[in-house]
């Protein structure tokens, strides 16, 4: 047993292991000061709510309060380990500023009220707008942090009850491209691989994925492989010198916005050297010839000029990717939030298809997620798509969903693709959407170009409903605020990035009058008197388990089949990956093991899109191209970003995360250890640019783009020259401004551009043209950037980031 400062070392103690052997178990535990394990009244099963890894945890309860967490050794995902955010983030549940009663706006001020008053305001305004303008006046914007039961209920209400097409989740900001890329290649949104592929891989490639900070437990798994016998090679694509890049065999740091060119260069080398599984390609794919033709134009010397990456390093990376016997790849925001996002992510799929690297141990492909239940948002129809991967442009799928819901097919809007959030913002701006119901997310900090977003959300003609734990920046603009319960205070299931479904049980009561999101949605459906075509209540369930049973029936026979799962089956053991049905009663570790895909025209979730324009592929076109339902190899040509550096804005801006915070810090900012580790915004500058602009550690600067400016202190880091980095977590809820800047801004999204990927509609947060200028020399104060992460200093000698408390790590002897 070891006591480790996990703020200082977010990844903890190594447990080395060799390829093909089980990842050793290590149980991490942190309890409130003064509480010992024997003091805990009971442990309650759940999983992480602060990232997409799906780490299984137990909540410690004492005297009706949450007093800590420990990892679940039995679980397939984390084998007992716990991310640093989860070790400390549970303290947010008990924050004194939790919302405990509903609020309504009276004479411009939010005042406390009772649930009947608040819900009647929501219901009466909804009915007014339906009568005046129809369902298109109502929009829903949800999160990636609710449970599947809640998303499904929201989808039924919005699509089947009200009939609006304006439904999206903030997963649009983090993993819309993951879904789009999977649909383009496999015609189905579902991860082909498993985290267990790390146990077998001889090459692990991370494309725009700073896994060390975004999925730190999965990174622990990689670190343990690297510390063991016969370690894998690691390929890293990232413009920053992240912990992943420091551990990599080959690090490629391309110019922002050039990922497609880089991927085409890698594929050029793979094809030119004959590292292609031609038998697999011929048997299971379509489109190889188009790829072969496209990548001929991208030899390494050409790609070097586009990406500013040495040709020799491109060849070295391609050799590793091309000669691997078991290649595992992951992709995340470095690709998803960049120019040509879907096109770049699809090229990673192409790499695995041409190499035949799918469905076998070690041959994993993971288009990662950003939030704990991002996968559920996409499965349940809470991002606008139809539930259970039904195809909105396939009439038979719409009719089948209408059968499940017992409604007329014409009551389910499917006349056009679902409305993405940036389009919803535009509709609000223009006045056609008059009501927005925001659940569990904070667009006043997380959407791009915040001055515009604040203006849109504060319009008098907009009726804004916010359902959340705290009075966030967005909630401060609302007409009605509904206090919600959170993780540990309600029961439900959620599915992680490798399709593993976990049960999260209620451990304690929510504070005051706060209610579970499911209860609020069911209450709304009943008050609206939403009914099916037989006159029965449309929402027929009343609690989490009955909602789960309804969701299971919706998935029957679909790729994400949940029908073999029950609460009882998920209780007490490990999470289980879908599909789980009669054929796969214990779940499914990897998809596509037999080279068969959910891509037949009658089955597929999507016919795909044009990667340049985003226009949907017509059904007849898809049927002609892929009548047998094979995987689709889709080539893409590199196109320059729309906003490029200029005389006034000579640099490029990327935004991103740190290991200590999640989303807009509504939870992690209220955990003292996490808040102290990364207390305020900073800007990362390369050594080259620090010299060019006369900047040093701790200098106060103004970072600007054509949209606005923020002030941040400098950290000279290992980021590539020409690029600035700002963490996006910091808004204004803990500043005098409340929901907006009080003087100078600090939210990174004051600067980001209103532009999105044509296929996934994911906003582009990583290619803005930017400038930086000195405001004030450092007075001995260092930048608030952590020293332990990608922001570690390359010049200054600074006090290392440390935490006030240690965490217990127990390596189980029987697992050695």
């Amino acid at each position: 047993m070891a006591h480790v400062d996990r703020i200082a070392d977010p990844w903890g103690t190594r447990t080395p292991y060799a390829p093909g052997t089980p990842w050793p178990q290590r149980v991490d535990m942190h309890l409130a000061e003064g509480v010992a394990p024997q003091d805990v009244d009971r442990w309650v099963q759940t999983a992480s709510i602060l990232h997409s890894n799906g780490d299984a945890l137990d909540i410690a309860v004492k005297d009706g309060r949450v007093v800590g967490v420990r990892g679940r050794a039995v679980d397939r995902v984390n084998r007992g380990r716990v991310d640093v955010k989860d070790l400390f983030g549970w303290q947010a549940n008990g924050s004194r500023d939790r919302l405990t009663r509903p609020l309504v706006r009276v004479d411009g001020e939010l005042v406390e009220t009772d649930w009947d008053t608040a819900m009647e305001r929501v219901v009466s305004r909804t009915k007014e707008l339906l009568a005046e303008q129809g369902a298109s006046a109502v929009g829903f914007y949800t999160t990636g942090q609710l449970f599947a039961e809640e998303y499904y209920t929201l989808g039924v209400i919005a699509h089947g009850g009200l009939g609006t097409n304006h439904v999206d989740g903030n997963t649009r900001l983090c993993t819309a491209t993951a879904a789009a890329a999977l649909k383009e290649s496999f015609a189905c949104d579902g991860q082909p691989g498993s985290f267990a592929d790390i146990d077998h891989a001889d090459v692990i490639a991370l494309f725009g994925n700073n896994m060390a900070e975004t999925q730190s437990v999965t990174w622990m798994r990689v670190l343990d492989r690297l510390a063991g016998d016969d370690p894998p090679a690691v390929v890293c694509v990232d413009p920053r010198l992240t912990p992943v890049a420091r551990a990599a065999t080959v690090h490629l740091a391309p110019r922002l916005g050039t990922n497609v060119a880089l991927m085409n260069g890698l594929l050029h080398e793979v094809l030119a050297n004959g590292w292609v599984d031609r038998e697999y390609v011929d048997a299971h794919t379509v489109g190889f010839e188009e790829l072969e033709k496209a990548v001929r134009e991208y030899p390494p010397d050409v790609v070097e000029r586009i990406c500013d990456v040495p040709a020799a390093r491109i060849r070295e990376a391609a050799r590793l990717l091309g000669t691997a016997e078991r290649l595992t790849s992951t992709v995340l925001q470095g690709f998803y939030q960049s120019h040509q996002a879907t096109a770049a992510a699809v090229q990673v799929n192409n790499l695995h298809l041409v190499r035949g690297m799918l469905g076998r141990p070690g041959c994993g492909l993971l288009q990662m997620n950003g939030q704990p239940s991002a996968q559920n948002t996409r499965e349940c129809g809470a991002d606008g798509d139809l539930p259970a991967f039904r195809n909105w442009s396939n009439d038979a799928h719409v009719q089948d969903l209408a059968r499940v819901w017992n409604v007329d097919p014409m009551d389910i809007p499917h006349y056009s693709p679902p409305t993405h959030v940036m389009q919803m913002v535009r509709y609000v701006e223009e006045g056609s959407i008059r009501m927005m119901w925001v659940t569990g997310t904070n667009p006043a900090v997380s959407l791009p170009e915040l001055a515009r977003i604040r203006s849109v959300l504060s319009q008098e003609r907009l009726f804004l409903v916010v359902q959340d734990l705290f009075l966030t920046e967005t909630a401060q603009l609302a007409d009605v605020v509904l206090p919600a319960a959170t993780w540990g205070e309600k029961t439900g299931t959620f599915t992680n990035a490798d399709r593993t479904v976990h049960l999260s049980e209620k451990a304690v009561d929510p504070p005051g009058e706060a209610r579970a999101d499911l209860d609020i949605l069911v209450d709304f459906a009943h008050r609206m008197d939403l009914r099916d075509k037989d006159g029965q209540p449309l929402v027929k369930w009343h609690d989490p388990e009955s909602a789960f049973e309804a969701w299971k029936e919706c998935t029957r026979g679909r790729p994400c089949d949940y029908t073999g799962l029950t609460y009882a089956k998920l209780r007490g053991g490990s999470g289980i990956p879908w599909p789980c049905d009669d054929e796969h009663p214990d779940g499914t570790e990897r998809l596509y093991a037999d080279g068969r895909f959910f891509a037949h025209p009658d089955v597929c979730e999507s016919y795909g899109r044009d990667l340049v324009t985003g226009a949907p592929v017509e059904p007849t076109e898809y049927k002609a191209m892929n009548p047998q339902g094979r995987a689709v190899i889709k080539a893409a040509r590199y196109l320059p970003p729309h906003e490029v550096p200029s005389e006034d804005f000579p640099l490029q801006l990327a935004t991103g995360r740190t290991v200590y915070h999640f989303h807009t810090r509504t939870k992690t900012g209220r955990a003292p250890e996490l808040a102290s580790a990364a207390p305020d915004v900073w800007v990362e500058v390369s050594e080259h640019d620090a010299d060019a602009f006369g900047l040093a550690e701790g200098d106060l600067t103004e970072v600007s783009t054509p949209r606005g400016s923020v002030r941040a202190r400098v950290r000279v880091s290992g980021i590539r020259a020409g690029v600035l980095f700002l963490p996006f977590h910091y808004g204004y809820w803990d500043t005098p401004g409340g929901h907006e800047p009080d003087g100078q801004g600090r939210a990174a999204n004051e600067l980001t551009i209103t532009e999105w990927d044509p296929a996934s509609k994911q906003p582009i947060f990583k290619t803005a043209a930017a400038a930086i200028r000195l405001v004030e020399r450092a007075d001995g104060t260092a930048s608030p950037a952590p020293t332990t992460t990608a922001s570690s200093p390359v010049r200054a000698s600074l006090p290392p980031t440390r935490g006030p408390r240690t965490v217990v790590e127990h390596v189980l002897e029987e697992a050695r």
Side-chain angles (χ1 to χ4, degrees), residues 467-690:
Q467 185 170 314
D468 214 317
L469 316 183
F470 301 102
L471 199 62
T472 64
E473 289 86 342
T474 305
Q476 292 177 47
L477 300 172
D479 295 281
V480 176
V481 179
L482 305 175
T486 186
W487 167 94
E489 300 167 353
K490 59 181 184 176
T491 294
T493 56
F494 51 129
T495 306
N496 76 345
D498 81 343
R499 294 174 286 104
T500 301
V501 183
H502 284 106
L503 176 65
S504 181
E505 304 255 35
K506 179 178 176 179
V508 299
D509 290 329
E513 299 175 18
R515 299 170 64 186
D517 297 274
L518 179 65
D519 292 344
I520 298 170
L521 293 168
V522 170
D523 185 14
F524 174 74
H526 290 169
R527 289 175 189 263
M528 287 293 296
D529 197 26
L530 301 178
R531 294 188 177 273
D532 66 16
K533 65 183 182 183
D534 293 331
Q536 299 302 308
L538 178 67
V539 176
K540 300 174 176 59
W541 44 96
H542 58 279
D543 64 5
E545 190 158 4
S546 57
F548 185 70
E549 292 299 315
W551 163 236
K552 282 167 55 179
E553 279 309 302
C554 188
T555 69
R556 187 177 294 279
R558 297 298 302 160
C560 56
D561 197 322
Y562 278 66
T563 53
L565 294 171
T566 63
Y567 273 22
K569 195 168 184 174
L570 291 168
R571 190 168 281 143
S574 174
I576 299 172
W578 63 251
C580 181
D581 51 18
D582 291 342
E583 187 179 352
H584 310 92
D586 298 321
T588 306
E589 180 91 51
R590 299 173 183 83
L591 298 181
Y592 315 137
D594 52 5
R596 290 190 298 171
F597 301 88
F598 303 121
H600 189 276
D602 294 339
V603 176
C604 66
E605 180 186 0
S606 169
Y607 300 124
R609 291 177 180 271
D610 185 290
L611 296 179
V612 175
T613 67
V617 173
E618 292 296 322
T620 51
E621 187 181 351
Y622 183 87
K623 290 173 184 175
M625 180 265 293
N626 194 18
Q628 295 175 298
R630 295 177 173 180
V632 178
I633 293 175
K634 205 160 194 172
R637 187 164 57 92
Y638 164 70
L639 300 169
H642 295 163
E643 185 169 285
V644 295
S646 63
E647 187 175 343
D648 292 335
F649 300 99
L651 304 169
Q652 288 184 298
L653 173 68
T655 67
R657 288 186 261 183
T658 180
V659 71
Y660 301 109
H661 285 304
F662 177 68
H663 205 236
T664 59
R665 287 185 314 124
T666 51
K667 299 185 183 74
T668 54
R670 289 174 167 88
E673 296 84 355
L674 301 173
S676 175
D680 204 349
V681 69
W682 69 88
V683 58
E684 289 176 35
V685 182
S686 71
E687 290 187 277
H688 173 275
D689 294 325

Side-chain angles (χ1 to χ4, degrees), residues 406-429:
N406 193 31
V407 300
D408 190 294
M410 294 309 294
D411 290 341
I412 301 173
H414 58 284
Y415 46 83
S416 70
T419 314
H420 60 95
V421 66
M422 297 306 295
Q423 187 64 49
M424 278 198 263
V425 168
R426 181 173 293 170
Y427 287 158
V428 173
E429 195 169 38

Side-chain angles (χ1 to χ4, degrees), residues 4 13 107 144 152 215 230-231 309 329 390 436 442 470 586 600 619 629 667 691 693 718 728 747 770 776 815:
V4 178
T13 306
D107 296 330
Y152 181 58
Q215 287 102 7
D230 196 10
V309 173
S329 298
R390 288 176 174 84
M436 279 280 286
N442 194 11
F470 301 102
D586 298 321
H600 189 276
K667 299 185 183 74
D691 291 340
F693 292 91
F728 64 67
E776 185 179 289

